[in-house]
């Protein structure tokens, strides 16, 4: 189930409007931490516990047709190691979607494996960060979102 | 106990936990994420860590008791425990998990059993210390005081 910290649907992007981040991680602890990190950096956060739920939320799951909804996601952060679908596989699905491919995707992992990092960067990831995430990472991400949306 | 005394006790206790390697900088990151609008953040995350860990330790015990040990499964559990202990800054537990994973890779049952004992021991220790720390924080707040985070960097 994807859960949202705010029930307001986004309309058109407004400078003063908080950026909306979709955070995907199978660990509840990590979802809580990343949510708090992002909310403290003035983002609105929706969390999903795996790739399948994330795709459903984005309207990209098998059987769903691309929606013309007002869904506005400014960034997606996903854990790499998840059961079912890895963060890399999720990244590829997002980048293959005509509606969602422009959304920056950040991959996070507890393991510092160069081949994994390269794979994600070549797959179109905006950035690859090591877990556990810290306040400085959230600040970095916030800057990314700001830059990309200006 | 007066608020000032409790605050001093909190600072000393927290510093000792860092010094003795029970907690690392990641725990401080969590404390920094807590504020008046989210006064229970640390307690919530710690409580999730306890639930998660107890489940994983129980699963690990079961997995290592099997006639034919599934090392992939054991490794998966340890990987999860390593992740959550790392996320909250439970340093000793995290380090124990790192050692544990090497023994899984080697498919060394005795090594794994020893590691499991070590992890359980260190988990129990950090659990009681975190419970004491959080209790102290709650007492400070109940007495109208605030948690003196800034004094940790002295």
């Amino acid at each position: 189930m994807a859960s949202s910290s705010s029930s307001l649907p986004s309309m058109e992007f407004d400078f003063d409007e908080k950026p909306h981040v979709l955070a995907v991680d199978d660990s509840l602890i990590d979802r809580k931490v990343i949510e708090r990190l992002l909310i403290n950096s003035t983002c609105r956060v929706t969390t999903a516990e795996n790739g399948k739920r994330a795709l459903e939320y984005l309207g990209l799951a098998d059987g769903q047709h691309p929606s013309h909804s007002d869904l506005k996601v400014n960034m997606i952060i996903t854990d790499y190691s998840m059961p079912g679908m890895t963060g890399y596989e999720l990244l590829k699905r997002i980048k293959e979607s005509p509606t969602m491919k422009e959304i920056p995707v950040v991959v996070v992992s507890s393991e510092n494996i160069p081949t994994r990092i390269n794979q994600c960067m070549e797959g179109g990831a905006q950035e690859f960060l090591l877990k556990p995430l810290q306040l400085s990472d959230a600040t970095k991400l916030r800057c990314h979102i700001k830059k990309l949306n200006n | 106990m007066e608020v000032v005394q409790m605050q001093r006790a909190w600072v000393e206790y927290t510093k000792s936990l860092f010094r003795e390697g029970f907690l690392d900088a990641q725990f401080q990151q969590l404390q920094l994420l807590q504020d008046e609008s989210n006064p229970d953040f640390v307690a919530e995350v710690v409580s999730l860590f306890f639930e998660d860990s107890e489940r994983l330790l129980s699963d690990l015990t079961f997995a290592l008791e099997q006639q034919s040990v599934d090392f992939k499964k054991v490794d998966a559990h340890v990987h999860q425990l390593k992740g959550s202990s790392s996320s909250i800054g439970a340093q000793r537990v995290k380090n124990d998990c790192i050692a544990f994973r090497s023994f899984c890779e080697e498919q060394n049952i005795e090594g794994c059993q020893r590691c499991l004992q070590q992890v359980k021991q260190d988990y129990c220790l950090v659990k009681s210390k975190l419970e004491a720390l959080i209790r102290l924080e709650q007492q400070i707040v109940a007495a109208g005081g605030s948690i003196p985070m800034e004094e940790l960097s002295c």
Side-chain angles (χ1 to χ4, degrees):
Chain A
M1 203 37 152
S3 70
S4 237
S5 57
S6 161
S7 57
L8 288 173
S10 317
M11 300 302 170
E12 69 247 340
F13 185 77
D14 184 46
F15 267 99
D16 297 325
E17 195 181 275
K18 291 183 186 175
H20 181 205
V21 181
L22 173 64
V24 192
D25 199 312
D26 59 310
S27 157
L28 177 53
I29 291 172
D30 289 340
R31 285 202 300 278
K32 266 230 160 320
V33 174
I34 204 177
E35 183 183 48
R36 182 96 326 259
L37 265 171
L38 291 168
I39 292 178
N40 281 16
S41 301
T42 64
C43 293
R44 188 160 59 90
V45 184
T46 298
T47 58
E49 61 184 348
N50 57 43
K52 183 161 173 273
R53 297 270 184 251
L55 289 176
E56 280 168 10
Y57 181 76
L58 294 168
L60 299 180
D62 297 328
Q64 283 179 311
H65 37 259
S67 66
H68 300 286
S69 76
D70 301 315
L71 181 69
K72 194 80 183 185
V73 174
N74 301 106
M75 179 174 275
I76 298 168
I77 296 186
T78 178
D79 188 20
Y80 183 92
S81 318
M82 294 188 293
M85 188 187 295
T86 64
Y88 174 71
E89 285 159 356
L90 176 60
L91 164 71
K92 296 298 283 174
R93 290 287 291 266
I94 293 165
K95 292 302 166 188
E96 280 160 17
S97 152
T99 48
M100 300 285 166
K101 64 180 179 182
E102 295 306 320
I103 304 177
V105 181
V106 172
V107 180
V108 304
S109 175
S110 55
E111 292 169 303
N112 190 353
I113 302 174
T115 47
R116 178 181 288 188
I117 299 174
N118 286 337
Q119 181 197 43
C120 291
M121 297 312 286
E122 275 164 30
Q126 182 67 33
E127 191 155 4
F128 189 100
L129 294 174
L130 287 178
K131 268 178 161 181
L133 290 182
Q134 305 186 324
L135 283 162
S136 52
D137 292 316
T139 313
K140 208 191 297 180
L141 291 173
R142 192 63 183 79
C143 285
H144 267 309
I145 299 177
K146 205 166 180 201
K147 248 190 287 169
L148 292 163
N149 283 291
N150 282 351
Chain B
M1 240 204 277
E2 275 201 28
V3 172
V4 174
Q5 275 177 298
M6 287 194 278
Q7 285 172 324
R8 224 177 296 154
W10 180 87
V11 172
E12 282 321 303
Y13 195 55
T14 307
K15 282 185 174 179
S16 75
L17 293 180
F18 287 117
R19 207 167 43 233
E20 291 164 27
F22 287 103
L23 298 176
D24 63 29
Q26 191 58 28
F27 187 73
Q28 250 179 312
Q29 292 284 312
L30 294 187
Q31 288 176 310
L32 289 170
L33 286 174
Q34 185 167 287
D35 56 30
E36 308 80 52
S37 58
N38 298 280
D40 300 314
F41 176 68
V42 176
E44 269 177 36
V45 179
V46 165
S47 160
L48 284 175
F49 169 67
F50 292 161
E51 277 173 36
D52 219 41
S53 302
E54 271 150 45
R55 182 182 48 88
L56 288 166
L57 288 173
S58 165
D59 289 345
L60 279 167
T61 308
F62 181 75
L64 285 174
E65 277 168 0
Q66 299 313 299
Q67 280 279 32
S68 169
V69 173
D70 181 349
F71 284 101
K72 259 188 94 185
K73 206 171 216 166
V74 174
D75 185 71
H77 292 318
V78 179
H79 175 80
Q80 263 195 284
L81 184 57
K82 174 174 162 265
S84 54
S85 56
S86 167
S87 293
I88 73 145
Q91 191 176 255
R92 286 198 195 181
V93 174
K94 179 189 77 172
N95 289 340
D96 292 338
C97 288
I98 293 173
F100 203 150
R101 291 192 84 191
S102 317
F103 286 114
C104 286
E105 239 180 289
E106 292 169 21
Q107 308 217 341
N108 180 336
I109 295 202
E110 266 139 43
C112 284
Q113 297 276 20
R114 273 199 312 272
C115 280
L116 179 59
Q117 287 326 300
Q118 188 63 50
V119 173
K120 282 181 172 175
Q121 214 174 300
D122 284 330
Y123 168 71
C124 284
L125 279 170
V126 82
K127 178 171 192 222
S128 62
K129 288 174 189 297
L130 283 171
E131 282 173 333
L133 187 65
I134 289 173
R135 241 186 338 260
L136 191 47
E137 287 182 5
Q138 289 169 342
Q139 283 169 345
I140 292 172
V141 170
S146 63
I147 318 292
M149 304 273 187
E150 61 290 347
E151 295 197 33
L152 287 180
S153 36
C154 301

